[in-house]
Amino acid sequence: MDDNIVGLVGDTKELVKVLTNESGCRVVTIWGMGGLGKTTLAKKIYHHRQVIDYFDHSAFVYVSQPCQKRKVWEDILSGFKTLNDEDRKKRDEDLAERLCNILEIKKCLVILDDIWTGEAWDSLKPAFPVARDRHSNSKILLTSRNKGIVSYADIRELRCLSEPESWELFQKIVFPQTGKIIGVEMKELGENMVKHYAGLPLAIVVLGGILATKNNSLNEWQKISDNVKSYLKKGKNQRPEDVLALSYDDLPPYLRPCFLYLSHFPEDYMIDVDRLIQLWGAEGIVSSKQEEREGGEIVEDVAESYLMELVERCMIQVRERDVATSKVKTIQMHDLMRDLCLSKAKQENFIFIVDRSNSSSLSMIQKVRRVSVHEFFFIQCIKSPNTRSLLFFNEFFPNEALEKYLPLEVLNYVEEHAKVWNPLFLILMISIVGTALLKSQGIWRYMFNNFKLLRVLNYEERTGDNLAAFKLPSDIGNLIHLRFLSLKDLEFLWKKLPSSLGNLRCLQTLDLRVANYKIHVPNVIWRMEQLRHLYLPDICKKKTKLKLGTLRKLLTLVNFNTKNCYMKDLINMTNLRELVINGPFNIENFNEKTLGENPSIIGSKYLHSLFILFSSINPRHLVHLLSSSLSICKLSITTARISKLPEYHYFSSHLAYIRLENCQLEEDPMPTLEKLTNLRILEFEETFRVNEMFCSAQGFSRLESLSLERLHNLEEWKVDE
């Protein structure tokens, strides 16, 4: 949180000057111990207006341990907004050369956060002109705990906070409204505690987060002060950051499993809050405080309040907020806090993590309840029928695994001749793909037949290779206790999902956004009456027709359209909060003459987000849809050809955010939109064909942000005084 940054003004000013100086050093390193604020300073520089204006492209990339060079290079290109599908297929050498060429020609800033070793930098060097003695217009900023990563870098050491700065930061965290301590005794206690932390910002922030929950109680402050002293007496080599354990010990019982669950995610992982809350609910870590009823508190609301408690305690870092509601969208963990989380999770046998430290030497894993897979391993190593959750964060069956089945010489030949199409190469490719499909099919079947108590099965595809199997085995119907199933980004050669999915009656979250262009979904989802979050494929086959009217608990419905679903089912979803329409949207038996006589489409009074994508929608059908959505605060319409917007009174009065992209409007939308009294954020991209736009003096009473992008036809913008 920028409001809570202390002591970095001088460092920021100096580094911005170095980076925007043509003759300045091409590589700069911010060096210091963990928790000093290296990432915070780098972020501040990355978002600095002078830096944004100076560079053509910029990218901020987290470097995990161990360093994955290809992922780093792809993340840089993605940050430049130049990564495409062809790049994902390139060999490492070609990808490095492409990035190197961009860095030579363009003026770019690359920030590599948290490089641990010189070996990591050596692996990344082929993509950087400055490391290859080639001319470069670009600059590189590294953060590291190791001073000597790059010998020719301009090294800037980040210092600890002074006592006044430490005290200022502490007060900002504990009293965010006033920034000032209350009472002489509290001040004395606070100052004594802060001194123990030796100017380490992370430790001070976490301590402040603990005390911020104590309601200004002097007795509670005294207890924390005593605990701080006892922690520091535990060992001669005790470091200030070791007292982070105090933040865990101070957690109430209901928050501890929520915090420990974060150990599932890899280092530097950007955690999607919606997905995290769904996982918490599926595992029973969070439950509703009262019996659900209309207007009552639901699991997702309770989970969100728990998440905010962890944020307020400074145990997790907010990375992104919703533009309309300011709700937290993504979070991340500081390395030191993640180390604490992993340590506590291991102590309590909360989870087994498969990573590079153990993926190649796993013995049979016994008595495992939760498994998080960061590196490929053979799932047959798990012999525990009581396994409750499996989360994958890697390729399902990567090429490295094929080395166990095919000679290395064969794989090397394929790598070298990938661009030469001949009969021998074709036979080899068929052999390799066939082997991969056969083995991955075996992995699926082993899971479905040996982990019948499974509650969570989640796959997060992190690379470009997403082939999963020939088909999804019908054995999946054995997992009758499953609460959460995500097949997102997986690809199956057999483009039909099994009807045995209908056996999964306990599912709360189902994500079917597979990578296939078109896939058939059998009409069995109506049997999953506990569903709360449903993500349908982006494109279903024509024969797919789903009845969803029984899903009365549904909160999220993504990729709904009237070709594959029934319009009338929306009226039964009385708890729906988010609706994404993707594809055709046509209302049957629609009364064109008298709009008011048409029955309501949306049955939920809680719908707050409506997204319309790639849709062919009749303008009058759009009017009726909007007039049925009286609670929405977010509206996005993308690639939906509509000649004109409905009159302003058809829009929800709660709308705070509107995005219109590639809508081909033939009339100026401003006279309509400026009448929306709560609209704060408005975004246009290739929105209208008109060449004139007009805004009146009385319009947009609360607008805070206006984004205009690629409005090629716009010639004149008239604004009243």
Side-chain angles (χ1 to χ4, degrees):
M1 292 176 280
D2 288 345
D3 292 343
N4 294 328
I5 293 176
V6 172
L8 297 179
V9 175
D11 295 303
T12 303
K13 189 175 180 180
E14 192 175 339
L15 282 168
V16 166
K17 186 177 180 181
V18 169
L19 292 171
T20 56
N21 185 343
E22 290 284 350
S23 58
C25 191
R26 298 286 157 190
V27 184
V28 180
T29 299
I30 302 173
W31 167 65
M33 65 186 288
L36 269 179
K38 299 184 296 295
T39 301
T40 301
L41 176 57
K43 280 274 186 185
K44 196 169 176 63
I45 291 164
Y46 180 70
H47 292 295
H48 197 282
R49 174 48 58 187
Q50 193 175 336
V51 169
I52 292 170
D53 292 341
Y54 180 80
F55 290 101
D56 300 322
H57 300 294
S58 59
F60 192 108
V61 177
Y62 298 98
V63 182
S64 299
Q65 185 189 21
C67 176
Q68 298 170 287
K69 64 180 182 181
R70 185 174 184 94
K71 183 179 184 305
V72 171
W73 293 339
E74 287 186 355
D75 286 349
I76 294 170
L77 289 169
S78 180
F80 292 171
K81 297 183 179 177
T82 58
L83 182 69
N84 54 45
D85 290 338
E86 289 182 11
D87 292 329
R88 297 184 188 279
K89 298 172 185 175
K90 282 184 169 73
R91 296 184 306 165
D92 288 354
E93 297 82 359
D94 296 332
L95 187 68
E97 188 62 31
R98 167 161 155 70
L99 177 53
C100 197
N101 290 335
I102 294 174
L103 294 173
E104 271 189 312
I105 299 166
K106 296 284 188 178
K107 193 184 293 181
C108 306
L109 172 65
V110 177
I111 298 180
L112 300 175
D113 186 49
D114 207 13
I115 292 189
W116 283 71
T117 64
E119 290 77 13
W121 171 246
D122 289 340
S123 72
L124 296 171
K125 285 197 298 189
F128 296 105
V130 67
R132 297 169 60 178
D133 294 324
R134 286 163 59 170
H135 169 75
S136 175
N137 289 315
S138 302
K139 298 285 183 81
I140 304 167
L141 178 65
L142 313 175
T143 73
S144 181
R145 302 181 200 182
N146 187 336
K147 188 175 183 179
I149 293 291
V150 184
S151 58
Y152 47 84
D154 179 358
I155 299 173
R156 303 298 172 112
E157 182 178 359
L158 198 58
R159 61 182 177 82
C160 292
L161 298 178
S162 65
E163 283 192 16
E165 288 171 338
S166 298
W167 182 240
E168 181 187 351
L169 176 60
F170 175 77
Q171 290 187 99
K172 283 189 172 186
I173 299 297
V174 181
F175 300 102
Q177 302 301 321
T178 63
K180 295 295 182 182
I181 208 81
I182 299 174
V184 176
E185 292 178 281
M186 271 192 174
K187 183 178 180 182
E188 188 176 340
L189 276 174
E191 286 177 337
N192 287 332
M193 282 188 278
V194 168
K195 283 178 184 177
H196 290 306
Y197 286 83
L200 189 69
L202 178 66
I204 294 168
V205 164
V206 171
L207 174 66
I210 296 171
L211 293 168
T213 66
K214 302 306 176 187
N215 299 319
N216 303 331
S217 166
L218 185 60
N219 288 335
E220 291 291 333
W221 277 49
Q222 186 64 60
K223 288 178 185 177
I224 297 298
S225 177
D226 294 340
N227 286 336
V228 168
K229 291 174 184 176
S230 66
Y231 268 90
L232 291 171
K233 288 178 182 176
K234 284 182 179 177
K236 294 180 180 179
N237 298 319
Q238 196 80 3
R239 303 168 300 168
E241 65 266 31
D242 290 335
V243 191
L244 297 181
L246 177 60
S247 63
Y248 177 78
D249 292 344
D250 188 66
L251 287 176
Y254 62 86
L255 279 185
R256 290 191 178 190
C258 295
F259 177 72
L260 293 180
Y261 202 87
L262 300 174
S263 61
H264 280 84
F265 300 94
E267 181 186 2
D268 296 326
Y269 192 86
M270 206 74 72
I271 303 171
D272 180 89
V273 167
D274 286 343
R275 184 53 41 109
L276 175 64
I277 286 174
Q278 291 165 12
L279 289 167
W280 279 351
E283 293 239 33
I285 286 174
V286 178
S287 58
S288 59
K289 292 179 181 176
Q290 58 188 16
E291 185 178 344
E292 289 186 25
R293 60 182 185 274
E294 189 171 347
E297 193 169 35
I298 62 173
V299 171
E300 286 74 9
D301 293 335
V302 176
E304 187 178 346
S305 70
Y306 289 179
L307 180 91
M308 291 313 300
E309 284 193 58
L310 291 173
V311 169
E312 288 160 8
R313 288 171 174 269
C314 302
M315 299 184 75
I316 53 179
Q317 299 173 333
V318 175
R319 287 298 177 221
E320 187 182 5
R321 288 183 180 270
D322 186 283
V323 291
T325 63
S326 294
K327 287 187 176 181
V328 177
K329 286 183 67 176
T330 58
I331 59 169
Q332 210 171 19
M333 296 192 80
H334 189 281
D335 289 345
L336 295 180
M337 192 59 77
R338 181 173 180 269
D339 290 344
L340 170 68
C341 186
L342 290 173
S343 172
K344 294 296 181 182
K346 186 176 181 180
Q347 287 176 23
E348 301 191 18
N349 294 319
F350 188 84
I351 187 175
F352 187 93
I353 297 174
V354 180
D355 56 22
R356 293 202 174 189
S357 68
N358 57 26
S359 61
S360 60
S361 58
L362 285 173
S363 57
M364 299 304 181
I365 306 170
Q366 302 287 346
K367 297 181 181 178
V368 174
R369 300 295 288 269
R370 298 183 181 89
V371 179
S372 179
V373 184
H374 300 180
E375 292 293 328
F376 175 81
F377 84 119
F378 290 97
I379 201 80
Q380 290 88 339
C381 289
I382 303 178
K383 297 297 181 182
S384 172
N386 295 321
T387 301
R388 293 292 196 275
S389 68
L390 280 169
L391 278 74
F392 291 87
F393 294 93
N394 69 319
E395 295 176 78
F396 194 81
F397 198 85
N399 288 335
E400 304 93 81
L402 289 174
E403 294 178 17
K404 295 182 181 291
Y405 305 107
L406 291 175
L408 187 60
E409 294 78 8
V410 172
L411 294 172
N412 288 338
Y413 179 87
V414 171
E415 179 75 21
E416 292 171 11
H417 297 80
K419 296 180 181 178
V420 181
W421 197 254
N422 58 52
L424 178 58
F425 177 73
L426 178 61
I427 292 170
L428 287 170
M429 283 299 294
I430 291 172
S431 173
I432 289 173
V433 172
T435 302
L437 290 174
L438 188 64
K439 295 299 175 183
S440 63
Q441 199 77 357
I443 292 172
W444 285 113
R445 287 212 162 100
Y446 184 85
M447 283 193 291
F448 299 159
N449 289 297
N450 289 275
F451 308 136
K452 294 185 180 180
L453 298 179
L454 209 61
R455 281 177 167 234
V456 168
L457 179 56
N458 182 47
Y459 183 87
E460 292 285 337
E461 208 282 307
R462 309 311 301 165
T463 68
D465 185 7
N466 49 19
L467 190 65
F470 177 71
K471 67 176 181 177
L472 184 67
S474 60
D475 308 53
I476 194 170
N478 295 334
L479 305 181
I480 59 172
H481 298 286
L482 209 59
R483 306 289 198 273
F484 180 105
L485 173 62
S486 173
L487 305 176
K488 189 173 185 289
D489 293 328
L490 290 174
E491 184 174 3
F492 303 96
L493 287 187
W494 181 263
K495 297 180 180 180
K496 178 182 178 181
L497 297 176
S499 57
S500 59
L501 279 171
N503 295 350
L504 311 181
R505 303 287 189 90
C506 295
L507 272 180
Q508 296 172 4
T509 298
L510 175 60
D511 194 338
L512 299 177
R513 290 175 293 179
V514 294
N516 298 72
Y517 173 65
K518 286 184 179 180
I519 195 162
H520 174 59
V521 182
N523 183 27
V524 295
I525 295 177
W526 63 270
R527 301 172 68 183
M528 307 171 186
E529 295 185 13
Q530 302 303 314
L531 265 184
R532 307 171 74 82
H533 308 279
L534 173 60
Y535 304 85
L536 296 171
D538 291 334
I539 303 178
C540 292
K541 288 191 171 183
K542 285 184 179 179
K543 63 178 181 179
T544 297
K545 197 69 175 178
L546 304 172
K547 293 180 180 179
L548 305 175
T550 55
L551 310 182
R552 297 178 182 274
K553 294 185 178 182
L554 212 59
L555 302 173
T556 307
L557 177 56
V558 173
N559 292 331
F560 176 90
N561 62 58
T562 53
K563 181 183 73 173
N564 303 120
C565 308
Y566 294 93
M567 169 74 68
K568 60 182 173 61
D569 290 340
L570 290 176
I571 200 69
N572 292 332
M573 301 173 189
T574 53
N575 292 295
L576 200 62
R577 294 183 173 190
E578 179 179 338
L579 174 62
V580 178
I581 297 169
N582 186 356
F585 189 86
N586 297 304
I587 305 173
E588 297 177 7
N589 305 317
F590 188 72
N591 187 334
E592 292 282 352
K593 294 181 179 179
T594 310
L595 284 175
E597 291 185 5
N598 289 291
S600 181
I601 302 171
I602 306 295
S604 172
K605 60 182 180 182
Y606 306 111
L607 187 71
H608 61 69
S609 299
L610 175 62
F611 300 87
I612 303 172
L613 314 172
F614 306 102
S615 182
S616 53
I617 183 168
N618 182 306
R620 292 177 73 78
H621 292 189
L622 176 61
V623 167
H624 191 56
L625 173 61
L626 291 175
S627 62
S628 298
S629 311
L630 299 177
S631 302
I632 60 169
C633 60
K634 290 179 65 178
L635 172 65
S636 177
I637 304 177
T638 301
T639 316
R641 293 179 178 271
I642 47 177
S643 57
K644 62 178 290 187
L645 290 180
E647 293 294 324
Y648 80 92
H649 54 266
Y650 289 115
F651 288 88
S652 165
S653 60
H654 300 285
L655 272 170
Y657 170 89
I658 294 179
R659 176 175 178 81
L660 302 175
E661 179 182 348
N662 194 22
C663 294
Q664 307 299 319
L665 293 174
E666 295 176 359
E667 291 186 13
D668 179 10
M670 291 305 202
T672 297
L673 298 177
E674 69 179 11
K675 294 183 177 69
L676 301 178
T677 53
N678 285 304
L679 189 63
R680 292 188 290 107
I681 299 160
L682 179 59
E683 298 176 354
F684 290 134
E685 182 175 350
E686 286 190 295
T687 306
F688 42 79
R689 295 176 175 178
V690 295
N691 57 16
E692 184 177 284
M693 188 167 71
F694 175 75
C695 296
S696 69
Q698 293 77 30
F700 296 115
S701 57
R702 296 190 63 186
L703 196 68
E704 298 170 3
S705 173
L706 174 64
S707 173
L708 307 174
E709 189 174 349
R710 295 193 293 175
L711 302 180
H712 303 300
N713 295 318
L714 186 64
E715 298 174 0
E716 188 174 10
W717 183 9
K718 296 179 181 179
V719 184
D720 271 357
E721 291 184 11

